[in-house]
Amino acid sequence: MSILAVKHQAINLGQGFPNFDGPDFIKEAAIEAIKQGNNQYARGFGIPQLNAAIAERFYKDTGLLVDPEREVTVTSGCTEAIAASMIGLVNPGDEVILFAPFYDSYLATLSMVDATIKTVTLRPPDFAVPEKELREAFSSKTRAIMVNTPHNPTGKVFSLQELQLIASLCKQHDSLAFTDEVYHRLTFGAEHISLASLDGMYERTVTLNSLGKTFSLTGWKIGWAVAPPNLTWGVRQAHAFLTFATATPFQWAAVSALKAPDSFYKDLIADYSSKKDILVEGLKEVGFKVFEPKGTYFVMADHTPFGFASDVEFCKFLIEEVGVAAIPPSVFYTDPDDGKHLVRFAFCKDEDTLRQAVDRMKVKLKGKVVARTH
């Protein structure tokens, strides 16, 4: 979709990266680290200062006190943290539960591990966890469940009740939990809760996070995994042979980022709330059925009012004829039919770009059935 967007000069609301830069104080810290000669391999599991900063931030966010030397592993982005956790802690044939739709890295990495994948589908309008399906998915063979909250691509934030259900099933079946929390700072009127903070869950949870989404520095690829020592051991065994170490000057800069004042996060939410409102209200005006997100910087919408047979067909039309790029969410499901009526937009763009995209859709889509179903 991004390649097509370039070809047709479309406004790219598809891929989830900002079209604006991260804070100057963090970039200056990276430049200073380079000038100071911090340019060789870092310690494999992270420079001590960053491990300590992650542990301190984790304590503020969850109330959990962790040992930065034994329970924190710095990785090359959260995607590597995901891979290291799955490769290091899941064996061939183990069952792992995913909530569909899901970030495509989960399925790819579990396929490398030769795990058996079970999916539980979250459905619009609220993408609530279906309790009966989830209970049926768990068994004595369940090694782990992957929980992404706030959730890409739906924008869902898992509720306390849903997390308590997941926790109870993990404890009942002696299963692990991998929690991808890269959007934990991007919530809108909903509370983000780390699964690890629930009673009896820290000892069976690997909490995964990164710098990129919160600080708009996705190209730096600084991530981490927080877990008890026995699970950290497995993560580090895999990490050692995936990337071994992560970019040293960016680790030093990440220390500065994680020490940002609370005012930074308040401003972040205010900024993204404004962006979200521009896109959500614009999509509604155009004629989409919009499932307003409680978190992340994505919006899911139903494109069926415009008469297309599939999300791929609609997204191609959107790029080629309207000049806006979005993502067809069927790629995030094990059964593509579950997502063929949906489309995902990203609002991690400056406000002028979002308004231009909405204006293009109003001209070409508003009030029109633009294709015939097959």
Side-chain angles (χ1 to χ4, degrees):
M1 290 299 151
S2 291
I3 292 169
L4 273 178
V6 171
K7 179 180 177 181
H8 294 277
Q9 297 183 315
I11 296 171
N12 193 344
L13 303 187
Q15 235 175 327
F17 59 84
N19 70 339
F20 47 86
D21 218 352
D24 287 341
F25 78 94
I26 309 175
K27 292 184 290 184
E28 290 299 328
I31 293 167
E32 185 60 28
I34 291 170
K35 288 180 177 178
Q36 292 294 324
N38 296 299
N39 300 303
Q40 306 309 320
Y41 288 132
R43 185 177 66 169
F45 59 90
I47 64 170
Q49 293 83 351
L50 180 53
N51 288 59
I54 292 167
E56 182 180 351
R57 186 75 255 174
F58 192 70
Y59 176 71
K60 288 179 180 177
D61 291 342
T62 67
L64 294 168
L65 194 62
V66 300
D67 182 343
E69 294 297 294
R70 300 174 65 235
E71 298 177 279
V72 177
T73 305
V74 175
T75 61
S76 297
C78 189
T79 298
E80 197 229 328
I82 292 163
S85 299
M86 291 179 173
I87 293 170
L89 296 169
V90 177
N91 290 314
D94 283 349
E95 291 185 359
V96 178
I97 298 170
L98 301 179
F99 288 105
F102 44 74
Y103 175 46
D104 50 9
S105 170
Y106 304 158
L107 183 62
T109 306
L110 288 171
S111 297
M112 295 178 200
V113 176
D114 198 21
T116 299
I117 298 161
K118 288 193 169 184
T119 56
V120 175
T121 302
L122 308 176
R123 303 184 188 281
D126 57 0
F127 300 100
V129 173
E131 181 174 347
K132 183 174 182 291
E133 289 179 40
L134 182 60
R135 289 187 180 278
E136 289 173 351
F138 270 88
S139 73
S140 59
K141 297 179 182 178
T142 304
R143 174 59 171 166
I145 184 170
M146 185 82 211
V147 181
N148 174 208
T149 185
H151 184 259
N152 172 19
T154 67
K156 170 190 175 59
V157 176
F158 281 67
S159 69
L160 175 60
Q161 292 73 23
E162 289 173 327
L163 293 173
Q164 287 173 332
L165 171 63
I166 293 166
S168 69
L169 291 168
C170 284
K171 288 184 280 189
Q172 178 184 338
H173 296 281
D174 194 23
S175 303
L176 303 179
F178 303 136
T179 63
D180 177 350
E181 302 184 10
V182 295
Y183 299 100
H184 78 296
R185 286 291 180 185
L186 296 176
T187 59
F188 313 104
E191 180 187 8
H192 168 72
I193 301 167
S194 288
L195 184 60
S197 68
L198 300 188
D199 185 50
M201 283 305 293
Y202 178 72
E203 55 262 41
R204 62 178 67 250
T205 301
V206 182
T207 304
L208 309 160
N209 213 321
S210 75
L211 194 77
K213 304 301 190 294
T214 300
F215 295 98
S216 302
L217 296 164
T218 58
W220 285 18
K221 299 300 288 180
I222 301 292
W224 55 85
V226 179
N230 61 313
L231 300 183
T232 291
W233 186 89
V235 173
R236 289 182 180 179
Q237 298 310 299
H239 166 65
F241 297 101
L242 287 170
T243 61
F244 166 62
T246 295
T248 305
F250 294 151
Q251 290 195 53
W252 283 98
V255 175
S256 297
L258 292 176
K259 294 181 182 297
D262 290 342
S263 59
F264 172 85
Y265 301 109
K266 290 179 182 178
D267 292 343
L268 180 77
I269 292 300
D271 184 41
Y272 269 106
S273 293
S274 178
K275 296 178 192 299
K276 174 180 69 71
D277 291 344
I278 290 169
L279 186 57
V280 167
E281 295 309 313
L283 291 173
K284 288 178 180 177
E285 284 185 48
V286 170
F288 289 94
K289 182 178 181 181
V290 181
F291 308 111
E292 188 162 350
K294 295 293 186 182
T296 76
Y297 46 50
F298 300 113
V299 179
M300 288 274 266
D302 188 329
H303 65 77
T304 52
F306 305 107
F308 285 85
S310 75
D311 56 332
V312 174
E313 184 183 327
F314 176 75
C315 285
K316 285 182 178 178
F317 176 88
L318 198 64
I319 290 173
E320 294 170 359
E321 301 298 329
V322 181
V324 176
I327 293 292
S330 58
V331 299
F332 302 130
Y333 292 84
T334 47
D335 182 356
D337 283 348
D338 286 334
K340 70 178 184 179
H341 64 295
L342 300 171
V343 58
R344 190 196 78 176
F345 296 92
F347 55 89
C348 49
K349 314 295 175 183
D350 63 81
E351 293 187 6
D352 285 344
T353 297
L354 294 170
R355 289 192 179 96
Q356 288 175 35
V358 169
D359 288 344
R360 288 187 181 189
M361 288 187 280
K362 284 180 179 178
V363 170
K364 293 280 189 173
L365 287 176
K366 187 175 180 180
K368 300 175 183 177
V369 176
V370 295
R372 290 185 295 273
T373 55
H374 297 295

